[in-house]
Amino acid sequence: MAQSDDNSNSRACAIVITISCLIVAASARSFYDEMDITFGGDRAKILNGGQDLLLSLDQYSGSGFQSKNEYLFGRFDMQLKLVPGNSAGTVTTFYLSSQGVGHDEIDFEFLGNSTGNPYTIHTNVYSQGKGNKEQQFHLWFDPTAAFHTYTIVWNAQRIIFLIDNIPVRVFNNHEAAGVPFPKSQPMRVYASLWNADDWATQGGRVKTDWTHAPFTASYRKIRWVQNKHMIYNYCSDYNRFPNGLPVLSLSLDQYSGSGFQSKNEYLFGRFDMQLKLVPGNSAGTVTTFYAKEIKNNSSTYGSILLPPSTHTPSYGTPRESCKSSIQNTFLIDNIPLRVFNNHEGAGVPFPKSQPMRLSSQGAGHDEIDFEFLGNSTGNPYTIHTNVYSQGKGNKEQQFHLWFDPTAAFHTYTIVWNTQRIIFMIDNIPVRVFNNHEAAGVPFPKSQPMRVYASLWNADDWATQGGRVKTDWTHAPFTASYRNFNANANKVGPNSKSTTSGNENQAWSTQGLDAAGRNRIRWVQNKHMIYNYCNDYNRFPNGLPTECTQTITDELPRIMPSMRDHELEFYNPKLRLVAYAGSFYDEMDITFGGERAKILNGGRDLTLSLDHYSGSGFQSKNEYLFGRFDIQLKLVPGNSAGTVTTFYLSSQGARRDEIDFEFLGNLTGNPYTIHTNVYSQGKGDKEQQFHLWFDPTAAFHTYTILWNPQRIIFLIDNIPFRVFNNHEAIGVPFPKSQPMRVYSSLWNADDWATQGGRVKTDWTKAPFTASYRRFNANANKVNPNSRSTSSENDNQAWRTQVLDAPGRNRIRWVQTKYMIYNYCNDYHRFPNGLPVECT
């Protein structure tokens, strides 16, 4: 039934799309100026003086609009709030397209669904009239509850689809391989709302419910990328500037360093800076990027360096040479050298930063630090991060880099909001410092801070603890900055109120998505060299409180709209991390009640066994192939009769299973490591080993590597068993059934120790085994579609075999420590050994 105009207008908020430019942008303009209604008649309405545009759909027609201008490359952003409730059969679009049979097109389509079921985000790319390049997604939030930003970045190299600045798809230019790519046909921007219930929702099985019509989409505050009329941009002229684009440089010699600060103070935001560090022998130097409130008589010092070729083309002068009311002054000993105007508001990048630090002033100051500690030639820089609140720091984490930071510019970022601080390099998160005020840990959130950068000498401590000094024969040392961006709340100098010049404030609630969590694990495992949260020598009376807080407690505030199944990798935990992961996120306790305990903020898990029950856990996710690591410390002392397990298994009578079982023993006698492989419900492929170390004295890493070719069992990365795929000769192999990870501690004194002759001594109960640092670098199985996905780029396990050192190690283990091999058990198989043994 049709609604009144008032109700229709109230429903206009059901879908809201805002298009704004984040690169070279004109001022906000009227829809009257920018858009033409293309179909739908009065169903498309421009309101509020051209600031809003409504699209409606009823049973007679949908509606749409297009841009007046055509574009060839650019970034196009749209804010959208989709139709709530039953939107089945409707399609809302935002796309670029040229015309004709051989058209190019780049699509965002939002396929509605019945109430309670998720929208489908449908993306596609057409070139020369050919598409068929679909990728579809569900979202990690409710797209009907609030506005979210959808972005198409289109350049000659690639197309990137983003949601809230999170990339969801990249389509690269593969013309060299014969794949057409849209790069020669100008395209217009289009948006529409229309009915497609013959295919849009569940393949057309769910139809549009017209009793909910009209469906309405609302667009507002249009600002478009203006690439149509630009014929030259010096910032893209690499022929003119072969040695690099204009930058700001800081230098250090034996007399002085140099630095700069922002004119503004900020309270929360995202701060990005591109930086190229001091090359060669940089020992003793420190390059910084930080924010801090300063007094009016404080000085900054530095210079602007332009590339060698600085002639101006006859068709125009660089815009930053024109008049502006915003300036940044660089001084040496308070003497101004040059004024370089800030034209960021006109789309001109402004060079302002490098390694970063945010800081306020005074004894109780707040500060957020990026510091780059130089080193002697050939040795890596140390990235030193710290957080101060109310004058207290001592929260250092240090890293080496996975690239040469002196060879090219890289982007260093601080995201600072009320929930957390995120340090990023080239958009890869390297550290998260969460707000734990609830546990009594101060957090910087009340003192506005300025942004600073500097280059200075600290050879009393910076390089190898001060043992390597600055070699002044290499002076002057120079670091280069460019493309500073502060998408942040600027603090008014008088009222101390805050304003933001950017409507995109995703940083205000930013946490880590799944990709970010995988990346931080990789960085922290591979490149972290110091973490105060692991420094028991420094904190002999106990680690700082925040080191024992679980990030799981933060999840409802970090990503309140994410589905449970999307949180599985929130905490660092994999083999690719320095930190233990959160068992809260990864595992479910399956039996034993309080005998299974998650400790230390989710980083540790203990299982206990008493004469009433054992205990166990399983992974939240299922996997089909991968590498699975866990660190385990076994039951100490008299563990006879107990069995501790770590294994993969599917369900049912014809289950697949890959087993590590640790069979306890009397004090002084070794554990037995029992391994087995089941496929289609059949096992009987046991191999057993003793260990070459005491597995109760410390944690050791136990690994199952499972791919379609083989299964490899490893301990501390030493292979000791390989079970190959022999399907070609009729031996079943586990490769089609997804499996979960399981672990348990239980009593099996009827068989576990010396064939059941030695029983469990219950006077020693409870027996306890400890787990930490679980890692699943694996193909996770989608619980709905049963498709698989991996969130880790490093998938060497897919084709892993034993190299020469691996073959030598497995021979050593099997010669020295194997105590049973079914392939040698002629008594058990009197009619012939299993075929895979021969």
Side-chain angles (χ1 to χ4, degrees):
M1 186 169 80
Q3 299 176 355
S4 68
D5 288 342
D6 288 343
N7 286 337
S8 179
N9 285 336
S10 71
R11 287 184 60 84
C13 295
I15 303 181
V16 181
I17 300 179
T18 302
I19 302 175
S20 59
C21 169
L22 296 182
I23 337 177
V24 183
S27 312
R29 299 218 26 210
S30 164
F31 276 103
Y32 290 115
D33 299 328
E34 292 293 327
M35 291 296 163
D36 291 323
I37 304 301
T38 51
F39 71 99
D42 289 338
R43 295 174 186 84
K45 298 178 181 178
I46 298 177
L47 305 172
N48 299 328
Q51 296 305 302
D52 298 314
L53 191 154
L54 308 183
L55 294 182
S56 293
L57 164 68
D58 58 30
Q59 55 267 56
Y60 301 106
S61 177
S63 51
F65 62 85
Q66 69 179 38
S67 63
K68 295 180 182 290
N69 295 316
E70 294 181 295
Y71 304 94
L72 190 61
F73 306 128
R75 173 171 178 145
F76 307 85
D77 300 86
M78 166 194 68
Q79 285 192 346
L80 165 65
K81 185 163 67 171
L82 293 173
V83 175
N86 189 348
S87 58
T90 69
V91 177
T92 308
T93 69
F94 165 58
Y95 63 103
L96 308 177
S97 183
S98 59
Q99 296 296 309
V101 175
H103 74 292
D104 293 342
E105 188 172 317
I106 305 169
D107 292 342
F108 259 120
E109 295 184 325
F110 305 87
L111 313 184
N113 214 330
S114 49
T115 303
N117 291 308
Y119 269 80
T120 295
I121 309 304
H122 178 95
T123 66
N124 204 352
V125 175
Y126 289 76
S127 184
Q128 300 174 23
K130 297 179 181 179
N132 300 325
K133 295 175 172 60
E134 302 90 343
Q135 288 186 4
Q136 294 184 335
F137 307 84
H138 286 159
L139 292 171
W140 52 98
F141 54 83
D142 177 2
T144 74
F147 288 98
H148 293 270
T149 302
Y150 303 86
T151 299
I152 296 170
V153 173
W154 170 38
N155 59 41
Q157 294 79 40
R158 65 193 55 84
I159 296 160
I160 308 174
F161 297 79
L162 304 97
I163 300 175
D164 291 334
N165 220 31
I166 296 171
V168 297
R169 178 182 183 180
V170 176
F171 183 81
N172 287 300
N173 184 336
H174 290 292
E175 290 180 298
V179 181
F181 185 84
K183 72 173 192 179
S184 59
Q185 300 186 56
M187 295 198 265
R188 295 184 190 272
V189 178
Y190 293 83
S192 59
L193 175 58
W194 52 292
N195 179 49
D197 65 3
D198 56 331
W199 66 271
T201 304
Q202 299 179 35
R205 292 189 298 275
V206 181
K207 302 299 183 182
T208 304
D209 182 353
W210 294 110
T211 65
H212 291 277
F215 305 96
T216 304
S218 175
Y219 302 73
R220 68 183 182 193
K221 292 184 181 176
I222 179 171
R223 289 189 296 173
W224 292 106
V225 177
Q226 297 296 312
N227 277 348
K228 180 181 179 184
H229 302 292
M230 179 178 284
I231 58 172
Y232 176 78
N233 180 4
Y234 80 110
C235 285
S236 301
D237 195 340
Y238 291 92
N239 292 326
R240 179 181 171 196
F241 301 121
N243 297 319
L245 299 176
V247 296
L248 181 154
S249 70
L250 295 181
S251 292
L252 163 68
D253 57 28
Q254 56 267 57
Y255 301 105
S256 178
S258 51
F260 62 87
Q261 69 180 46
S262 64
K263 297 180 74 69
N264 297 313
E265 291 182 296
Y266 304 95
L267 190 61
F268 308 124
R270 175 177 174 137
F271 306 86
D272 301 270
M273 165 198 66
Q274 289 192 348
L275 165 64
K276 186 162 63 172
L277 293 175
V278 175
N281 188 348
S282 58
T285 69
V286 177
T287 309
T288 69
F289 173 61
Y290 62 103
K292 177 176 183 176
E293 180 185 357
I294 67 164
K295 307 301 180 183
N296 290 335
N297 61 357
S298 299
S299 66
T300 55
Y301 43 108
S303 63
I304 287 290
L305 172 66
L306 287 176
S309 175
T310 57
H311 78 279
T312 301
S314 60
Y315 38 79
T317 59
R319 285 181 293 173
E320 70 270 17
S321 65
C322 303
K323 181 172 66 175
S324 173
S325 60
I326 303 173
Q327 300 177 342
N328 200 6
T329 305
F330 300 89
L331 308 96
I332 294 180
D333 297 330
N334 256 353
I335 300 172
L337 297 180
R338 178 172 182 178
V339 174
F340 186 82
N341 291 314
N342 183 333
H343 288 279
E344 289 176 296
V348 180
F350 184 73
K352 287 195 302 198
S353 6
Q354 209 170 303
M356 299 195 283
R357 180 186 294 155
L358 301 174
S359 181
S360 58
Q361 290 290 310
H365 75 291
D366 293 342
E367 188 171 310
I368 306 170
D369 294 344
F370 257 121
E371 294 183 327
F372 302 85
L373 313 184
N375 215 330
S376 49
T377 303
N379 291 309
Y381 267 82
T382 294
I383 309 304
H384 178 94
T385 66
N386 204 352
V387 176
Y388 288 76
S389 184
Q390 301 173 22
K392 297 179 181 178
N394 300 326
K395 295 174 172 57
E396 302 90 344
Q397 288 184 4
Q398 293 183 336
F399 307 83
H400 286 159
L401 290 172
W402 51 97
F403 54 86
D404 178 1
T406 73
F409 283 93
H410 293 268
T411 302
Y412 302 86
T413 300
I414 293 172
V415 173
W416 170 37
N417 59 40
T418 56
Q419 296 85 41
R420 66 196 57 83
I421 296 160
I422 307 174
F423 297 80
M424 299 194 287
I425 300 175
D426 291 334
N427 222 31
I428 296 172
V430 298
R431 179 182 182 180
V432 176
F433 183 81
N434 285 297
N435 183 338
H436 289 294
E437 289 180 299
V441 181
F443 185 84
K445 72 174 192 179
S446 58
Q447 300 187 59
M449 297 196 263
R450 292 185 190 269
V451 178
Y452 294 80
S454 60
L455 174 59
W456 52 292
N457 180 47
D459 65 3
D460 57 332
W461 66 272
T463 304
Q464 299 179 35
R467 293 189 296 275
V468 180
K469 302 299 183 182
T470 304
D471 181 353
W472 293 110
T473 64
H474 291 277
F477 304 96
T478 302
S480 301
Y481 303 73
R482 71 180 188 190
N483 290 353
F484 170 71
N485 182 49
N487 178 1
N489 289 339
K490 185 169 63 177
V491 176
N494 300 316
S495 65
K496 293 299 183 182
S497 63
T498 62
T499 60
S500 176
N502 194 318
E503 292 177 1
N504 178 10
Q505 293 200 329
W507 55 262
S508 65
T509 56
Q510 186 169 337
L512 296 186
D513 59 9
R517 296 190 294 275
N518 279 327
R519 287 169 177 164
I520 201 170
R521 287 191 287 269
W522 174 77
V523 171
Q524 292 183 343
N525 183 63
K526 294 287 189 179
H527 301 286
M528 178 180 277
I529 59 173
Y530 177 78
N531 180 8
Y532 78 111
C533 277
N534 294 333
D535 196 339
Y536 291 91
N537 292 327
R538 182 178 174 189
F539 303 109
N541 297 320
L543 295 175
T545 302
E546 66 272 15
C547 297
T548 60
Q549 297 296 305
T550 174
I551 300 178
T552 303
D553 295 337
E554 302 288 343
L555 287 177
R557 293 191 295 117
I558 293 170
M559 290 171 284
S561 60
M562 288 186 70
R563 301 181 183 92
D564 290 341
H565 73 271
E566 293 172 299
L567 302 177
E568 66 277 352
F569 286 126
Y570 186 75
N571 278 331
K573 66 181 175 8
L574 306 185
R575 193 178 70 90
L576 299 179
V577 274
Y579 292 130
S582 173
F583 282 100
Y584 289 115
D585 298 336
E586 291 296 327
M587 297 295 172
D588 291 323
I589 304 301
T590 51
F591 71 100
E594 295 298 323
R595 296 172 185 84
K597 296 180 180 179
I598 298 176
L599 305 171
N600 297 328
R603 288 188 286 274
D604 298 318
L605 190 154
T606 61
L607 295 181
S608 292
L609 164 69
D610 57 31
H611 47 290
Y612 299 106
S613 176
S615 50
F617 62 86
Q618 69 179 39
S619 64
K620 294 180 183 291
N621 296 310
E622 292 183 295
Y623 304 94
L624 190 62
F625 306 125
R627 176 174 176 140
F628 305 86
D629 303 88
I630 201 161
Q631 290 194 351
L632 172 60
K633 185 162 63 172
L634 294 174
V635 175
N638 187 349
S639 58
T642 70
V643 177
T644 309
T645 67
F646 167 57
Y647 63 103
L648 307 178
S649 182
S650 58
Q651 296 296 309
R654 296 179 61 81
R655 75 189 193 282
D656 293 342
E657 188 171 314
I658 306 169
D659 292 343
F660 260 115
E661 294 184 325
F662 305 87
L663 313 184
N665 215 331
L666 292 167
T667 303
N669 291 309
Y671 267 81
T672 295
I673 309 302
H674 178 95
T675 65
N676 204 351
V677 176
Y678 289 75
S679 184
Q680 300 175 25
K682 296 179 182 179
D684 299 329
K685 295 173 171 56
E686 302 91 344
Q687 288 185 4
Q688 294 183 336
F689 305 81
H690 286 160
L691 289 170
W692 50 97
F693 54 85
D694 178 0
T696 74
F699 284 94
H700 292 269
T701 302
Y702 302 87
T703 301
I704 295 170
L705 190 149
W706 170 40
N707 63 37
Q709 295 81 41
R710 64 194 55 82
I711 295 161
I712 306 175
F713 296 80
L714 305 97
I715 300 175
D716 293 333
N717 222 30
I718 296 173
F720 66 95
R721 180 179 183 181
V722 176
F723 183 80
N724 287 301
N725 184 337
H726 289 292
E727 289 179 300
I729 56 174
V731 181
F733 186 84
K735 70 174 193 179
S736 59
Q737 298 187 58
M739 295 197 266
R740 294 185 190 271
V741 178
Y742 294 84
S743 195
S744 59
L745 174 58
W746 52 292
N747 180 48
D749 64 2
D750 56 333
W751 66 271
T753 304
Q754 298 178 34
R757 293 188 298 274
V758 181
K759 302 300 182 181
T760 304
D761 182 355
W762 292 111
T763 66
K764 308 292 183 182
F767 305 97
T768 302
S770 300
Y771 298 78
R772 70 182 188 186
R773 295 187 183 179
F774 169 69
N775 166 19
N777 179 0
N779 287 340
K780 185 173 65 176
V781 176
N782 184 301
N784 298 317
S785 67
R786 310 309 284 176
S787 62
T788 63
S789 62
S790 176
E791 295 166 346
N792 196 311
D793 292 334
N794 178 11
Q795 294 201 333
W797 56 262
R798 285 184 175 277
T799 56
Q800 188 165 336
V801 296
L802 295 187
D803 56 11
R807 294 192 294 275
N808 284 331
R809 286 170 178 164
I810 202 169
R811 282 194 291 269
W812 172 77
V813 173
Q814 293 186 343
T815 300
K816 296 281 189 180
Y817 298 101
M818 179 181 277
I819 59 173
Y820 176 79
N821 181 4
Y822 78 110
C823 278
N824 295 331
D825 195 339
Y826 291 93
H827 293 292
R828 183 180 174 188
F829 302 109
N831 297 321
L833 295 175
V835 64
E836 68 269 17
C837 299
T838 59

